[in-house]
DNA sequence: TTGAAAGCGCTAACAA
DNA sequence: TTGTTAGCGCTTTCAA
């Protein structure tokens, strides 16, 4: 039932090389106090045997795992897929691997995820916070941590590296484009759980104000965590309130809106959303979208975490990336 | 620069409980040979302190990581995104976490990925083989392994659990539908590197034969690994050969085809593909697609690996799932 | 420049 | 029922 991997260990290398394990360790880690000659001999044997030091044995003393923990809040969301892709790639480049966990917009799951990841002694953590007021300081302890997409509770934000995008102006751009394309009664569907969702709602309001469009609270829908009601909301926006434009604050909500538009045969409704995928270019219903720099976010998240692993005392900074409006229609 | 996590260790628990570490270990792992009373006392202290056994120290002896390694061959492919999602979810349910690595259709990278994952002592491996004749037996050693999407080299296949779909009949269904919708000159773009791609090509041939359509070798394009030429191929299919239907054997190739169709303003070309996403429902250009049971594949892969972790000597089996044609247009 | 030996946190065989 | 102890594979003092 239980079985051992017949791994080559440092002992065998030592024996083969006719030296002590301490000497092998020195050769292995390029430590001083070893002659060039011995080092070469040992290294030759290491490559010959394909020996790889046991990461777990090493970890017991070193706490070095070359593992990065990534916690996203919604695995079905295009944005997170893209960012996680970028994280994986960038981490791989640096010789790190990533363990990804899904918090499902649930603070309790997020807490558990952090615990699991710390349990694996990840060298760093990259988190899309579910944005309740979790006590991240105590949760992550001294594990270098970077937040993205959503800021941790505002008062703590300054203590962690945080990567955000300009949600307000992105949403403003998108809604403005809707207006420019002729929409005058625009509804919004946004997520109430994330800072991102709230900010996008602000952008919506700004665009309306800018174009002197009346503000109608009935057109503002904030979906719950599970977005169960999103379909009803979309329905009301179209049927009850006769909107001629809808801004879906993320692509999961967009899907719901498109579904409803199709169902009700309303091809003339103008639609805008946050996030972008290559598929959007082939839609019947043109979709105005706001493209986030997902690759940059993922890469920078890894870079920041790596930097902080090296220098844990670095002052934390928050960066906001600008977004790009993609006009269609 | 280096810092220790002030983790609670088994020693402190032992001290606090006034027992030996062996006793703590027994309480921890529900081993026999401990009185109910002591066990409860120890467990109380464990919860009080929030103690978590060091997984690495444990691993050195146990080789138990609760980690599953997942190797996919193309992170941008919708199929792999969906399967990996299912793998993550199912693994989480069983208390396992997954490390995902991308081989990028590159056997060398796949080999390295296997090594990295074994280095982390993953309890099991789930692999979409790049399908060169890698010596998987020697690569994965005794790590319980499940293959999906592509079979390992045929002669070894019987030695590993393998999860495939019915590529031939899926492609046949899709191409038949193209024909039924009126296409009579149908080109195919498929990947040459995977067994899946080859099988889908067979399905294409079968459909043509079935409907007594002439077989024209000029309409069969097999893209290289990097799919660099795919765009040229699509161009030729449309411009040189005047196809009125195209079967793109995966969604990455579909993207290329759609791009070219749009560029050349050929909305009347009928298109079919393997894999399915929710976005397809909203395309201007209707896309016939073949839906794979991605969730089932991911879940079963995990289940099989878990089963094999428990019983390493289980006979290997290959399962083929059927696919579903989604008509559009 | 080298090796012996201690110890990282844990499990399990053995003794008590 | 409990504790003592060896040892997992490694790094790192400390002595030689």
């Amino acid at each position: 039932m239980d079985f051992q991997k017949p791994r080559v260990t440092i002992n065998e290398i030592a024996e083969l090389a006719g030296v002590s394990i301490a000497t092998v360790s020195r050769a292995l880690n390029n430590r001083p106090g070893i002659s060039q000659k011995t080092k070469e001999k040992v290294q030759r044997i290491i490559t010959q045997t394909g020996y790889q030091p046991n990461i777990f044995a090493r970890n017991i003393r070193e706490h070095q795992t070359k593992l990065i923990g990534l916690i996203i809040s919604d695995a079905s969301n295009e944005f997170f897929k893209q960012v996680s892709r970028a994280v994986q790639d960038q981490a791989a480049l640096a010789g790190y691997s990533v363990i990804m966990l899904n918090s499902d917009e649930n603070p309790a799951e997020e807490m558990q995820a952090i615990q699991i990841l710390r349990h694996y002694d990840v060298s760093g953590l990259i988190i899309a916070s579910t944005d309740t007021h979790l006590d991240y300081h105590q949760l992550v302890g001294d594990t270098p941590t970077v937040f993205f997409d959503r800021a941790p509770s505002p008062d703590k934000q300054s203590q962690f590296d945080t990567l955000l995008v300009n949600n307000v102006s992105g949403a403003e751009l998108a809604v403005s484009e809707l207006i420019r394309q002729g929409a005058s009664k625009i509804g919004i569907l946004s997520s109430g759980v994330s800072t991102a969702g709230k900010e996008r709602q602000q952008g919506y309001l700004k665009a309306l104000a800018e174009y002197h469009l009346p503000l109608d609270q009935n057109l503002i829908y904030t979906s719950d965590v599970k977005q169960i009601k999103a379909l009803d909301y979309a329905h009301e926006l179209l049927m009850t309130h006769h909107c001629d434009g809808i801004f879906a604050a993320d692509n999961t909500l967009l899907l719901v809106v498109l579904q409803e538009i199709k169902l009700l045969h309303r091809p003339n409704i103008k639609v805008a959303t946050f996030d972008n995928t290559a598929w959007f270019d082939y839609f019947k219903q043109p979709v105005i979208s706001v493209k986030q720099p997902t690759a940059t976010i993922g890469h920078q998240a890894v870079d920041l975490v790596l930097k902080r692993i090296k220098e844990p005392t670095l002052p934390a900074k928050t960066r906001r990336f600008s977004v790009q409006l993609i006009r269609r229609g």
Side-chain angles (χ1 to χ4, degrees), chain A:
Chain A
M1 175 114 172
D2 217 38
F3 51 92
Q4 307 289 37
K5 309 209 166 152
R7 278 244 201 83
V8 188
T9 74
I10 200 172
N11 288 295
E12 281 140 80
I13 303 296
E15 208 161 324
L16 285 170
V19 297
S20 75
I21 58 165
T23 302
V24 175
S25 179
R26 279 188 271 259
L28 208 53
N29 301 292
N30 268 311
R31 292 272 185 286
I34 181 174
S35 73
Q36 191 58 28
K37 209 175 124 203
T38 330
K39 192 190 225 167
E40 274 164 17
K41 184 172 66 184
V42 173
Q43 280 171 342
R44 191 153 20 84
I45 293 179
I46 286 176
T47 30
Q48 271 171 22
T49 52
Y51 163 72
Q52 292 226 330
N54 182 319
I55 199 170
F56 294 86
R58 177 176 284 176
N59 177 271
I60 277 190
R61 302 184 49 103
E62 298 284 278
H63 291 283
Q64 278 255 26
T65 50
K66 296 257 183 184
L67 235 32
I68 288 177
L70 172 64
I71 303 178
I72 60 172
S73 52
D74 178 8
S76 62
N77 187 308
E78 196 59 37
F79 169 77
F80 289 117
K81 287 185 196 169
Q82 291 176 17
V83 171
S84 68
R85 168 78 197 277
V87 166
Q88 311 251 19
D89 290 350
Q90 188 74 357
L93 244 43
Y96 280 69
S97 302
V98 359
I99 305 184
M100 182 173 114
L101 261 28
N102 187 358
S103 71
D104 226 355
E105 299 290 11
N106 183 337
E109 297 228 22
E110 185 183 340
M111 281 184 59
Q112 211 198 335
I114 293 175
Q115 275 164 13
I116 291 173
L117 291 171
R118 290 197 69 195
H119 197 212
Y120 283 117
D121 226 338
V122 292
S123 303
L125 235 25
I126 297 174
I127 304 178
S129 160
T130 53
D131 191 45
T132 46
H133 297 266
L134 291 176
D135 183 356
Y136 284 107
H137 246 100
Q138 112 116 10
L139 277 172
V140 308
D142 51 10
T143 309
T145 302
V146 173
F147 287 89
F148 76 103
D149 189 52
R150 301 104 175 269
S153 43
D155 46 320
K156 315 245 163 140
Q157 180 177 336
S158 60
Q159 305 167 349
F160 292 104
D161 287 316
T162 309
L163 262 28
L164 303 170
V165 303
N166 216 320
N167 287 299
V168 177
S169 74
E172 189 185 348
L173 282 171
V175 175
S176 297
E177 177 65 19
L178 280 176
I179 298 171
R180 242 174 281 124
Q181 289 190 11
S184 58
K185 193 162 185 194
I186 301 173
I188 175 175
L189 225 57
S190 80
S191 154
V193 286
S194 68
T195 42
K198 288 171 204 152
E199 290 178 356
R200 288 167 197 177
Q201 193 165 315
Q202 280 175 43
Y204 162 85
L205 296 177
K206 278 187 80 173
L208 292 193
E210 196 181 327
Y211 283 82
H212 306 293
L213 250 45
L215 164 59
D216 183 349
Q217 288 292 348
N218 291 318
L219 305 188
I220 300 181
Y221 282 99
T222 305
S223 80
D224 55 332
V225 185
K226 287 286 157 209
Q227 309 192 320
I228 292 166
K229 293 193 183 153
L231 204 62
D232 291 342
Y233 292 163
H235 188 85
E236 287 180 30
L237 245 22
L238 291 169
M239 291 301 277
T240 314
H241 303 301
H242 307 288
C243 287
D244 55 2
I246 297 187
F247 174 58
D250 63 46
N251 68 80
T252 312
L253 291 168
L254 170 67
L255 207 53
V256 170
V257 169
L258 290 175
Q259 204 178 325
E260 196 62 24
I261 286 178
K262 196 174 185 185
L263 208 72
L264 300 174
H265 300 289
R266 299 290 196 77
N268 295 323
I269 308 292
K270 308 274 183 210
V271 176
T273 192
F274 237 80
D275 301 327
N276 189 58
T277 97
W279 301 122
F280 285 178
D281 288 335
Y282 308 103
F283 277 21
K284 174 191 279 175
Q285 165 93 45
V287 171
I288 298 160
S289 71
V290 177
K291 187 177 185 173
Q292 304 197 56
T294 49
T296 309
I297 293 172
H299 293 168
Q300 289 230 12
V302 172
D303 290 346
L304 276 175
V305 134
L306 259 32
K307 205 166 164 187
R308 189 163 289 280
I309 288 170
K310 287 221 178 62
E311 287 183 65
T313 55
L314 237 47
K317 52 183 144 190
T318 295
R319 236 172 269 186
R320 256 192 206 269
F321 297 96
S322 55
V323 294
Q324 186 194 348
L325 180 70
I326 306 209
R327 292 188 177 80
R328 292 189 188 91

